[in-house]
Amino acid sequence: EAGVVQSPRYKIIEKKQPVAFWCNPISGHNTLYWYLQNLGQGPELLIRYENEEAVDDSQLPKDRFSAERLKGVDSTLKIQPAELGDSAVYLCASSQGWGQETQYFGPGTRLLVL
Amino acid sequence: DAKTTQPPSMDCAEGRAANLPCNHSTISGNEYVYWYRQIHSQGPQYIIHGLKNNETNEMASLIITEDRKSSTLILPHATLRDTAVYYCIVRVEGSGTYKYIFGTGTRLKVLA
């Protein structure tokens, strides 16, 4: 069974540029999560989707971050414009939902903002 | 804020049992304890979870104290490939949704 797929794996951009990350969850998983992981820290939830609906986006900095999950499958996380402090690993995870809440993580996208 | 406290690092000899402690003294009655590990440059990998009873699977055992204020993850025969950061997580429920609250984890180094 394929795991959570993320792309790109690495991204280097200059500050003020836009950037987008893509995630394909495990087939059949209704719940999708985006996390931010700073160096030496545990992941922090940015947004959680149940199918197409964002049910928890309280930690998403909405002035520059946006996310979408069209058709309830793939998801895209965007930053515009990027700042130096956005350099981090962006992780996507998915779970079956409906009480089966074990999350399975992708490999992450490592972003470096110069 | 993290609901768990873990030692920042531990060493374990290859072939020996690795016992990783976690304190979660403010855990609520319906909150699960999950363990994940993260090997360098990879995403976190699920290990095991539990509510009240001790649990065992092919990777590890989870021992939860009777008062649920602490738990221990046991890797019975540690190998070099078990070197990773281990996260003890409380799954928090609220407003009809679930959330993992990660701490900073324990960096386990398995020594040859």
Side-chain angles (χ1 to χ4, degrees):
Chain A
E1 179 182 289
V4 175
V5 179
Q6 290 188 248
S7 69
R9 290 295 315 277
Y10 304 92
K11 188 75 175 178
I12 301 174
I13 61 171
E14 294 190 346
K15 63 180 181 181
K16 300 185 181 180
Q17 295 299 306
V19 65
F21 315 123
W22 175 81
C23 173
N24 178 246
I26 292 173
S27 178
H29 281 196
N30 297 297
T31 308
L32 184 146
Y33 314 76
W34 283 103
Y35 286 85
L36 164 70
Q37 186 172 26
N38 288 307
L39 189 64
Q41 303 295 315
E44 302 171 40
L45 181 68
L46 289 173
I47 189 167
R48 166 190 165 123
Y49 281 94
E50 292 287 349
N51 297 305
E52 298 175 352
E53 182 182 1
V55 297
D56 184 356
D57 63 355
S58 57
Q59 301 304 311
L60 189 72
K62 298 181 183 64
D63 57 336
R64 297 185 299 106
F65 285 66
S66 64
E68 60 183 11
R69 191 183 183 198
L70 301 177
K71 301 181 181 178
V73 181
D74 296 359
S75 178
T76 302
L77 178 69
K78 298 178 182 178
I79 309 174
Q80 182 171 9
E83 298 179 352
L84 296 177
D86 296 331
S87 295
V89 176
Y90 292 83
L91 292 161
C92 179
S94 69
S95 65
Q96 284 184 295
W98 298 312
Q100 302 300 319
E101 295 300 328
T102 299
Q103 298 182 27
Y104 297 90
F105 286 79
T109 296
R110 188 173 298 272
L111 174 67
L112 178 60
V113 182
L114 301 176
Chain B
D1 290 336
K3 296 193 71 171
T4 61
T5 304
Q6 299 176 254
S9 63
M10 292 181 62
D11 291 342
C12 177
E14 188 178 21
R16 304 296 294 270
N19 297 285
L20 292 89
C22 179
N23 286 319
H24 31 79
S25 58
T26 62
I27 195 169
S28 299
N30 60 348
E31 292 177 342
Y32 281 76
V33 177
Y34 279 72
W35 282 83
Y36 280 74
R37 71 181 183 185
Q38 189 170 25
I39 297 170
H40 184 62
S41 297
Q42 297 183 23
Q45 176 192 21
Y46 168 76
I47 301 174
I48 199 167
H49 73 281
L51 182 62
K52 297 179 184 177
N53 300 322
N54 298 337
E55 302 287 345
T56 296
N57 63 21
E58 65 277 6
M59 289 183 69
S61 294
L62 174 60
I63 308 299
I64 302 175
T65 58
E66 192 168 343
D67 63 7
R68 303 212 323 121
K69 292 185 177 181
S70 65
S71 60
T72 301
L73 179 74
I74 301 172
L75 307 178
H77 305 287
T79 70
L80 298 178
R81 290 182 296 177
D82 292 323
T83 293
V85 177
Y86 286 77
Y87 292 102
C88 170
I89 301 156
V90 169
R91 191 192 79 181
V92 174
E93 295 186 38
S95 303
T97 187
Y98 302 98
K99 184 179 295 187
Y100 284 179
I101 307 295
F102 283 81
T104 53
T106 295
R107 187 171 298 275
L108 175 69
K109 184 183 293 185
V110 180
L111 306 173

